[in-house]
Amino acid sequence: MLALRLTRGAHPAVQLRRLLVAVASAGTGFLLLCALGYAMSHAENPGGSALRLAWCLTPLAATVHFAVAVARTDPGTKPRTGLAAIGLGPFRLMTVSATTTAMSCTLGSLLALLVFLDLRGDLTGVPFDGAASVFLAADQPLPVPAALTLLALVPAIASATVALVLLPRDARPAAARAVARHYGRFGAYGRTVARETFGTYGRFGARLRTQPTGSRTAGAAPGPETGGTPAPRASDPAPAVPPPGHDSTDAQPNPAPDSPPQLPAPGTAPAGLPWGVAVLTAGLAVQAYATGASTGPRLPGSLATGAPAVLLGWVLTTLGLALAGPGLAHLCGRLLQAARPGALRLLAGRVLMEEATRIGRPLGIVCAVASGTYAMAALYDTNAPVFGPLTTLGTLLVSGCTVATLLTAAVEAKHERADATAALLRLGAPATMLRSAAALRVGALLALFVPLTLIVAELAALPLAR
């Protein structure tokens, strides 16, 4: 009920993103049901049916990736101050986000089932009644358990992935978490790092203080009753001693009303670039081997014998570009700051380096999909139809989900730096400078990733020329 209320009261832009998730889920569910219909009408070719079902994993992965990106940018499930007091802690908000994702994907799966039944001819009095009755085996009864299992894949996998990604984690380093678990000498969860013996306090004289001769409190530490300063305990931290010449009135100056925002530190480049290059090379090699070993028609009418290897090669290529994307985006940020950068290039480069991981991975996947689409067009026979209806639907679904994921990641990055942008505007930075920095970042990314996409596409299609 809480997830339903948050869904109804969301911003129109958030509702639009959830609607797009439902549309993507509907397209993926329809492709899965079409694979089931093909298997029913071609019972003598189980290998081809299995390969068609395997090709549906690509739009399934694209849909799940898009659903996770939308869940990360949902403002209704962001932890805010005071929500934990009413039972809406990070874990509960993660559960709400996973439930909202499941609701959107379930709505899409129901829409896919209605369209599938309409094209089979099981629904009467609606447009396109029985338009694909032969292909979808309308003369055979529909196996309801199999259809429901396929339709449940997208909601189940998407919600489980969202829950895994948004699972609350301790952001502190491992060393800090290890130190935080020690609660003292008599702590219930462990001992202190430096173990103390029994006579520690007495041996070092931590509780002894010198008193004047004849005092009634001789041998006792001066406290509030004797008019002195309370004796510090051994567990109390030592007072900070100011250096000579230090003025105590300047110890804590009043903060400025508008302090300048700190630019993110350059940091180190993401560590996935070498691995991404290695996996990308392996994927291109597998595609070249599969293309040379396959005989007969090359993809869609009847699948070739090398189609599983081609699918494996594309998966490796996509994974390699996704791993290398953050490192390449970080490199773009460094190149923007080379050779005596001004304020514009410095701002654009630092922001790009900070957002390299968030933007680089979806950008690498978009690069892989674009290069794969170009290579897939070359995998078809020239005498066969270039694109069928299901191939067109799958291509549009994968391309649309990857581009929408990239745009959603860009929106998330914009929201993350909203405070720094507002501080720059308060300090007098012109809005045109911020727009110029954003355009410079986009231009730098295009200058690197567009040639990379063309190179990968040419290398993937090069074995076809032999």
Side-chain angles (χ1 to χ4, degrees), residues 19-401:
L19 181 61
L20 292 178
V21 171
V23 171
S25 176
T28 304
F30 181 74
L31 290 177
L32 291 171
L33 291 178
C34 287
L36 176 62
Y38 180 85
M40 294 169 56
S41 59
H42 298 79
E44 72 283 354
N45 186 19
S49 302
L51 288 178
R52 286 181 178 271
L53 186 61
W55 280 106
C56 293
L57 296 179
T58 302
L60 175 61
T63 302
V64 171
H65 190 208
F66 178 47
V68 171
V70 170
R72 288 172 58 93
T73 57
D74 192 350
T77 56
K78 294 291 184 181
R80 290 186 294 271
T81 305
L83 290 182
I86 59 174
L88 293 178
F91 186 81
R92 182 71 181 278
L93 290 177
M94 178 270 296
T95 306
V96 171
S97 182
T99 305
T100 304
T101 303
M103 292 169 55
S104 300
C105 295
T106 303
L107 177 62
S109 297
L110 293 178
L111 180 60
L113 180 60
L114 292 177
V115 174
F116 178 76
L117 294 177
D118 180 24
L119 294 179
R120 269 177 54 94
D122 296 336
L123 301 179
T124 58
V126 293
F128 306 102
D129 184 13
S133 57
V134 178
F135 178 77
L136 300 179
D139 55 340
Q140 302 180 22
L142 180 66
V144 178
L148 294 181
T149 301
L150 292 177
L151 290 176
L153 286 178
V154 180
I157 296 177
S159 58
T161 307
V162 168
L164 182 62
V165 171
L166 300 182
L167 185 67
R169 296 179 178 86
D170 195 348
R172 295 175 299 174
R177 292 196 301 266
V179 173
R181 282 194 293 268
H182 299 285
Y183 292 98
R185 182 173 179 176
F186 301 101
Y189 293 93
R191 298 182 300 235
T192 55
V193 178
R195 187 175 181 180
E196 298 175 350
T197 58
F198 178 76
T200 299
Y201 294 131
R203 182 166 60 250
F204 292 98
R207 301 174 61 87
L208 300 179
R209 294 293 182 270
T210 304
Q211 296 295 334
T213 305
S215 173
R216 295 178 56 185
T217 57
E225 296 83 357
T226 61
T229 305
R233 293 175 297 179
S235 59
D236 293 338
V241 180
H246 177 73
D247 189 1
S248 60
T249 59
D250 297 334
Q252 294 181 352
N254 296 327
D258 284 325
S259 57
Q262 298 292 332
L263 291 178
T268 59
L273 183 57
W275 292 101
V277 174
V279 175
L280 174 61
T281 305
L284 292 175
V286 170
Q287 290 187 37
Y289 172 77
T291 305
S294 61
T295 57
R298 289 189 172 122
L299 281 177
S302 58
L303 296 178
T305 57
V310 172
L311 178 59
L312 177 61
W314 284 358
V315 170
L316 291 177
T317 301
T318 305
L319 180 60
L321 288 173
L323 290 175
L328 295 176
H330 193 274
L331 178 62
C332 288
R334 283 194 175 276
L335 293 178
L336 281 177
Q337 303 174 70
R340 296 182 179 180
L344 180 61
R345 287 198 292 139
L346 184 62
L347 177 62
R350 288 292 180 89
V351 172
L352 188 56
M353 292 169 65
E354 180 71 15
E355 300 172 354
T357 302
R358 184 181 289 111
I359 299 296
R361 289 176 182 173
L363 189 57
I365 295 177
V366 170
C367 177
V369 170
S371 60
T373 303
Y374 177 85
M376 187 179 63
L379 287 175
Y380 285 90
D381 284 339
T382 56
N383 297 328
V386 179
F387 288 106
L390 295 182
T391 306
T392 303
L393 176 61
T395 304
L396 292 177
L397 183 61
V398 174
S399 303
C401 285

